[in-house]
Amino acid sequence: AAGPGRAGAGRDALREELLLSPLPAGDVAATFQFRTRWDADLQRGAVSHYRLFPKALGRLVAALGVRELHLALTQGFWRTRAWGQPPLQAPAGAELWVWFQPTVTDVDKAWKELSNILSGIFCASLNFIDSTNTVTPTASFKPLGLANGTDHRLLRYAVLPREVVCTENLTPWKKLLPCGSKAGLAVLLKAERLFHSSYHSQAVHIRPVCRDASCLAVSWELRQTLTVVFDSFSSGQGKKDWSLFRMFSRTLTDACPLASQSKVYVDISPKNKENELLEVTPPPASVHEAVVQGDKRTYAVYDLLSPSLFNTSRSLNVQLKWKRPQDSSELPTPILHAQRYVSGYGLQTGEISTLVYNTHPYRAFPVILLETVPWYLRLYVHTLTIITKGKENKPSYIHYQPAQDRRRPHLLEMLIQLPANSVTKITIQFERALLKWTEYPPDPNHGFYVGSSVLSALVPSVIAMKAVDVEQSPLFASLFPSSDGSSYFVRLYTEPLLVNLPTPDFSMPYNVICLTCTVVAVCYGSFYNLLTRTFHVEEPSRDGLAKRLANIIRKFRGVPPL
Amino acid sequence: MKQVPAVPAARSLSPGARSPRARSPRSRAGAERCPRRADAGPAGRPLLRGHRRGAGAAAVVEDDRDLPRRPALRGHRRAGAAAARTSITSRYEMLYRSTTAQEELALHAATAREADAALRPLQDASLGSLTVYVVPETSSLLPQGISVYVGKHRSALVRAGGGLAAFHTRLRQLTQVMSFTASSIAAALSDRVPDGQLGPDARRHLKSSLGYEITFSLLNPDPKSHAVDWDIEDAVNRYVQPVLDKLSLVANFSVDSQILYYAVLGVTPRFDKESSSFLLSAHSLPHVINPVEARLGSSAASLYPVLNFLLYVPERSHSPLYIQDKDGAPVSTNAFHSPRWGGIMVYNVEAPASPQASLPLHVDVDMVRVMEVFLAQLRLLFGLSREELPPEFLVESPGNEGLADWELDRLLWAHTVENIATVSTTLTSLAQLLGKIGNIVIKDDVASEVYRAVASAQNTMAELATGHLHSAFQASKEAVTSSERAFFDPSLLHLLYFPDDQKFAIYIPLFLPMAVPILLSLAKIVRETRQHKKEPTKMD
């Protein structure tokens, strides 16, 4: 599908891939990846003729001096503990992080402009990204693509945990695909099924990559990924069997004619060595074995471009059956996982606790923790404690940027060493600030979100890994570059927190107005009467009501009337 | 052969009936004047030779009585009061002189085209001015039957003879062709002219803007059977760029292209058995664009209007596809355009000779054919269509640049007038908004933008009145920029201000109880006065 190489407009190629992996807890995760690679330098500004690469994003990159762009829109939370290490996790809500070119003079202005344009392209509320939720991490987010320097001042990172992701975000995302949702794997992307799931995350990654092994020229890569987790256990009457049709209510009939590669991978790794538990139909033409995230895995591969696949039937409906019920006791725990919660009572102070687990039996490894906390939670940095196995754990690197009210959030980055087989507890206390009454969002009693904290680590692998060739290996294994064979990169996001702030009674001003007005009106009325009435000396009435009453009582008592 | 020149030049347009430099009260009335002296040229050639009239304007004022008055153009301001009608008057300033020796030499060329090219470096090339060379009746420079030749630049050759009146008419037609007519100015103001006064063509033109984005899109609804390839980059460099270079004076242009797959038209074409082809009738064309437009993508990175040119390669099951006009005849270019939006061309792919030919069929688009159509559409969208001309007129084709110098002038005249109208509309709306909200806060920078816009607009008018087209256009662009910046300033948002009627609603709890004793005492007073009145009548 590559066009003839011409000067200026380089070759472009599209690869599409679907990875289906049964999760330990019985759910099924489907990860779509669409990768457009364009052998042209977007930055030079000379390129304005687009073929597979979407014009909207290409112009954005060229106009605003973007070196790398990562946008994820997520609904739900990836439960690392039950589902294992995610191929690509994203925090709940919207996440955007961008590296700008060193030529960009005003990074904040470009960032503001970029978030506004992206908000238009993806119909998301990214325009709410401003200085109060933008940070510049120093260590957590390194460029994933080709980069000469890593001057972190060119990086901007923001999370909007309140963002709700739905169909209106999916449609523009699908529109960026060269085949749309008309052909290829994207026909499965039917909104009503995708959002009827436990976890939905769609992302766009743009980065420059090496054109070839010698890396003398730059190519641009656009990856569109979509991860969705179906709860097949509850929807399948207690059975964990699934098929493409049952999940997406569609089947695959062809590959996108523009794609140079179109494959479906199904994770059929045996859980125990001796017994095969799974059965996939139709039988796969080939099997791919790889070490992914420190684990040996086996994948059944269906190549949609091979003509033999559609020989027997017109469509491909991958089915998976469990031969016998799986015992739930054999849930493997991932080596690195974390959880976070907010504790304390009352509306004045509280405490954020993060628990980071390292379940590796004998290897210790460091992890970078990034916390961004909005300014209205005032962190007490002196209360920061990191405790591992009952002892204090001193972080080897701390970067703390205090918040400024209504200007910027807290940023806390730490490099923490996690000993083998340990739980590390990080706590920090905070005080809740009082907001101005106009600063409360609609429904303030729902609470305020605090974005996920980010854990980035090089996790030591149990099995030696081979360095992967990006062009050859499956896409799900090649977003994060692996540095060496002994460890692999993992980025985890913890739960977002919901914190209650002291919320005033918003009807109070009106109540006060009403009360004051009434008092004033009553006073006014009496004064008015006092000033306008004419007073006469009244003759005592002959038969007043009081006199009559008194007479009745007197009569009753037997006393002569008045 | 000797040519006698007359050089009417430096025409002035003064909009809004304000022409500060009007030399006589009459010239303000909008009478168009043709050079009275020019007709003397061909007749009395030896007499005029060497007799250079520098003060053409003086002559102009004297003799406009036998010339028809040009109807004053009426414009409307949309947001302004209905009474605020504006009339645009125009005035030509004529200068006469004889040819110089070099011009004489150039006019000795064999053909009009060569003469035009040779005369180019000799002219003063200021925007908005025209040079008319009057050649003798017997001259062989112009072909037989042609009496007016319009060149590529700002000059024309006019054959003398046929009497004074005929020559007048010719010159008047010529100036209208090469500068502007009432209708071209009306088209520029079409948004402000009430419905029904203008033909459909008037609304075709793009609105004046500081920049335009041109997007070429190749729609391939059937990538399984057609692998379409177009060398758009080369075509843009070769055909579009020269035109845009020329137009760069008018606005900034950016060009890009994209290929959209699985993008279909919104209408299913009708199958015609006779020709075994598919037909799109003219009345279904309006429905074609909408579904495509959703895929085109907006220009997220800029605010300029987008011109879309779509090349549609029909699906295999729907080809060949032809567009029919209103009478049912196929359109020869197989293309149509949508006013202010762009154009669509249908590009049919020949069916392969053998049905067994492997799919997808590789198609290389013939860009010459495509670009011819798109450039013609581009000219239409800018309102540069060649109007119907009398048969004795010969207009030189603009060649590779796609645009003659005088056509550029036409565009600039229209855009300058339109810009001023836009500025006045914007500022009027702004003034209305400010009038509506009494307590609105106007920041200093907004105020200075407004002042700048007004000053630039006045500057534009003054420059127009003196005929300096280029500086007038520049000033009008500044005026538009300033007025838009003031209008779209985020601090001037209607919703930021609390409406007064709601303020009243909040204080109802105060006003209502306070009103009760007042009303009661009022009622009492009324009652007492009535009783007062009754008592005297009783006494009567």
Side-chain angles (χ1 to χ4, degrees), chain A residues 4 6-7 9 48-52 55 59 117 175 178-179 182-183 254 257-258 513-514 517 520-521 524-525 528, chain B residues 213 215 223-224 229-233 236 255-259 261-262 294-295 300-301 506 509-510 513-514 517-518 521:
Chain A
R6 275 193 302 266
S48 49
H49 304 287
Y50 298 87
R51 207 177 82 95
L52 295 178
K55 182 168 80 94
R59 292 197 52 160
I117 294 173
K175 240 194 253 173
C179 279
K182 300 274 174 47
D254 56 354
L258 309 162
I513 288 176
C514 282
C517 287
V520 168
Y524 171 83
Y528 182 84
Chain B
E213 286 185 27
T215 302
K224 263 186 193 161
D229 216 354
W230 64 346
D231 193 357
I232 182 72
E233 190 162 5
V236 164
V255 184
D256 48 26
S257 79
Q258 60 183 344
I259 303 183
Y261 299 93
Y262 291 103
R295 286 286 309 274
I506 285 176
L510 178 65
M514 275 168 67
I518 297 176
S521 51

Side-chain angles (χ1 to χ4, degrees), chain A residues 9-81:
Chain A
R11 280 178 344 115
D12 45 4
L14 170 74
R15 286 170 66 186
E16 52 175 12
E17 182 185 289
L18 166 61
L19 167 68
L20 294 161
S21 37
L23 298 176
D27 311 73
V28 187
T31 307
F32 293 84
Q33 288 217 20
F34 301 89
R35 175 181 183 260
T36 310
R37 205 189 102 139
W38 192 14
D39 292 347
D41 194 353
L42 278 173
Q43 286 303 335
R44 291 286 124 81
V47 186
S48 49
H49 304 287
Y50 298 87
R51 207 177 82 95
L52 295 178
F53 203 93
K55 182 168 80 94
L57 292 181
R59 292 197 52 160
L60 190 67
V61 169
L64 293 173
V66 173
R67 190 168 69 194
E68 216 170 275
L69 185 150
H70 303 271
L71 168 71
L73 298 168
T74 310
Q75 184 74 19
F77 174 68
W78 182 278
R79 290 176 273 158
T80 313
R81 186 111 190 240

Side-chain angles (χ1 to χ4, degrees), chain B residues 210 423 426-427 430 445-446 448-454 456 475-488:
Chain B
L210 302 181
V423 170
T426 313
L427 292 181
L430 188 60
D445 55 331
V446 177
S448 68
E449 290 293 348
V450 173
Y451 283 129
R452 201 173 303 146
V454 173
S456 301
S476 78
K477 279 211 286 196
E478 278 163 33
V480 169
T481 318
S482 299
S483 66
E484 299 282 301
R485 213 178 286 151
F487 189 79
F488 289 107

Side-chain angles (χ1 to χ4, degrees), chain A residues 485-496:
Chain A
S486 62
S487 57
Y488 58 95
F489 182 78
V490 168
R491 178 167 292 149
L492 284 183
Y493 295 89
T494 62
E495 301 90 335

Side-chain angles (χ1 to χ4, degrees), chain B residues 194-244:
Chain B
D195 285 329
Q197 290 191 5
L198 291 161
D201 274 9
R203 288 171 199 284
R204 178 191 290 156
H205 310 331
L206 281 167
K207 294 182 74 178
S208 170
S209 160
L210 302 181
Y212 298 94
E213 286 185 27
I214 301 178
T215 302
F216 294 98
S217 306
L218 172 64
L219 307 187
N220 184 359
D222 192 7
K224 263 186 193 161
S225 18
H226 298 143
V228 187
D229 216 354
W230 64 346
D231 193 357
I232 182 72
E233 190 162 5
D234 180 56
V236 164
N237 287 338
R238 200 177 290 188
Y239 308 112
V240 183
Q241 208 54 52
V243 183
L244 298 186

